[in-house]
Amino acid sequence: DTAVSQTPKYLVTQMGNDKSIKCEQNLGHDTMYWYKQDSKKFLKIMFSYNNKELIINETVPNRFSPKSPDKAHLNLHINSLELGDSAVYFCASSLGQISTGELFFGEGSRLTVL
Amino acid sequence: GENVEQHPSTLSVQEGDSAVIKCTYSDSASNYFPWYKQELGKGPQLIIDIRSNVGEKKDQRIAVTLNKTAKHFSLHITETQPEDSAVYFCAASRGGTDSWGKLQFGAGTQVVVTP
């Protein structure tokens, strides 16, 4: 059973389109995250939700809109895609704060904007 | 905010040798320092972590040391094996409600273990 699963794994789309990535965790965690990994492998947090409430929004353009319908799901919708949005997006979850425990990552969704 | 620097960016070692990756952090309030391993096509996975009240922690072939005064911490892998080949990330977090969920990652070290 996959702990943190995200779909799709690969996404190729044209500039200007709107796309969504879905994430689900079956670990019973109360905190979920979206991280962006660029072509140089640098990992940067985008959003963090605790019990469906937005906790962190790290200066991400408002074309990116996360939605957490419940504690087990955190989806990412991106409007008007740009070339610079090409990256691997990782969903992750943890029980409580980062400093109290492990961050569990999904396998990533590779987004390519043409 | 926190800034984490990681060196080297790439590391090639012979199987059986040791590998050392070093990180420095800027925020003296950081108190939690995990290390993540990312294999090709996978998400990062926690391999070991250390908290600021401990100077060293060991788990089989991997160990982490922390020097709070100098604000640096290191990962040591002994008796390296080909399956240790991956990208390794150090990270730092201060915890507390003012930094909920903020884990600042280093830039990563690509480790290649050659048989």
Side-chain angles (χ1 to χ4, degrees), chain A residues 33-44:
Chain A
Y33 312 81
W34 278 108
Y35 277 83
K36 180 180 179 180
Q37 187 171 48
D38 63 22
S39 57
K40 294 183 179 176
K41 298 287 188 184
F42 190 68
L43 270 167
K44 187 168 169 53

Side-chain angles (χ1 to χ4, degrees), chain A residues 1-40:
Chain A
D1 247 4
T2 306
V4 181
S5 57
Q6 47 184 118
T7 55
K9 195 170 170 67
Y10 299 97
L11 194 49
V12 181
T13 189
Q14 300 285 334
M15 256 192 335
N17 283 351
D18 303 339
K19 289 293 174 189
S20 292
I21 307 171
K22 295 187 175 183
C23 178
E24 175 182 3
Q25 54 94 4
N26 63 5
L27 297 165
H29 288 167
D30 55 0
T31 310
M32 295 185 72
Y33 312 81
W34 278 108
Y35 277 83
K36 180 180 179 180
Q37 187 171 48
D38 63 22
S39 57
K40 294 183 179 176

Side-chain angles (χ1 to χ4, degrees), chain B residues 1-3 24-31 33 71 92-94 99:
Chain B
E2 176 66 278
N3 182 44
T24 59
Y25 61 99
S26 60
D27 186 351
S28 55
S30 287
N31 57 15
F33 307 92
K71 290 192 279 190
S93 170
R94 57 155 62 189
S99 61

Side-chain angles (χ1 to χ4, degrees), chain A residues 28-94:
Chain A
H29 288 167
D30 55 0
T31 310
M32 295 185 72
Y33 312 81
W34 278 108
Y35 277 83
K36 180 180 179 180
Q37 187 171 48
D38 63 22
S39 57
K40 294 183 179 176
K41 298 287 188 184
F42 190 68
L43 270 167
K44 187 168 169 53
I45 189 164
M46 300 173 67
F47 301 103
S48 165
Y49 271 74
N50 176 252
N51 284 315
K52 303 193 299 174
E53 191 178 324
L54 180 66
I55 301 294
I56 292 173
N57 180 342
E58 278 290 291
T59 59
V60 177
N62 56 17
R63 298 182 295 104
F64 290 78
S65 51
K67 278 195 173 52
S68 182
D70 55 57
K71 273 182 9 175
H73 295 84
L74 180 62
N75 304 322
L76 183 66
H77 187 76
I78 316 170
N79 288 328
S80 305
L81 279 156
E82 300 177 358
L83 292 176
D85 297 333
S86 294
V88 181
Y89 292 84
F90 286 98
C91 177
S93 72
S94 67

